[in-house]
Amino acid sequence: MKFGFKFEKILGLKEKLEDNKKNEMAIISNSIRDLESEISKMEEMKRERYDMLEEILMSGASITDIKKLSYSIECSDVSIERLQQKLSSLRESFNYKKTEYLEVMKERKSFEKLKEKHIDEFKHIIKLKEEKALDQINTFRIRGTS
């Protein structure tokens, strides 16, 4: 007698879906790390420009140079803000994917528990059949020796 789990295909699909969600989370997580690194670099550039601005203000630079550097700092602020919004969006997306992943994982575990239950029931049925067969053999032996 061979065991067959009637929901095996569904369990397989849940496992594949879980792997897909995990991969999607990894991709978003890598994007988040890359974006955080980019923001950090932009903030460092902005600090360097502030330092340059302080230096040229102390040295008595021209208004044009001061305006250029101030404009560059403002552009950095805009870029950083845009990147932070993108980062926020990615984090929301990651949280959504994480929720989806946890739900799929929960569903997969439910099917695995159901499969384990079916396996236990199958083993129990096999054991009962074996016991019945042994009883029949013993009955034939007793009849044969009488």
Side-chain angles (χ1 to χ4, degrees), residues 5 16 22 34 39 42 47 52 54 57 65 70 72 75-76 83 93 98 100 103 105 136 139:
F5 182 55
K16 287 179 185 176
K22 196 185 300 184
D34 292 346
I39 290 171
M42 291 289 294
R47 280 190 291 277
M52 288 173 58
E54 285 181 14
L57 286 173
D65 290 339
S70 294
S72 175
C75 289
S76 294
L83 291 173
S93 181
K98 183 177 178 181
E100 287 182 333
E103 185 62 34
M105 185 175 70
Q136 287 177 347
T139 302

Side-chain angles (χ1 to χ4, degrees), residues 40-55:
S40 184
K41 288 176 186 175
M42 291 289 294
E43 288 174 340
E44 180 61 32
M45 285 175 44
K46 180 181 165 184
R47 280 190 291 277
E48 289 172 3
R49 289 177 184 147
Y50 265 121
D51 292 343
M52 288 173 58
L53 182 60
E54 285 181 14
E55 284 179 28

Side-chain angles (χ1 to χ4, degrees), residues 56 61-70:
I56 64 169
S62 70
I63 298 290
T64 306
D65 290 339
I66 294 171
K67 282 185 177 183
K68 284 181 184 177
L69 206 46
S70 294

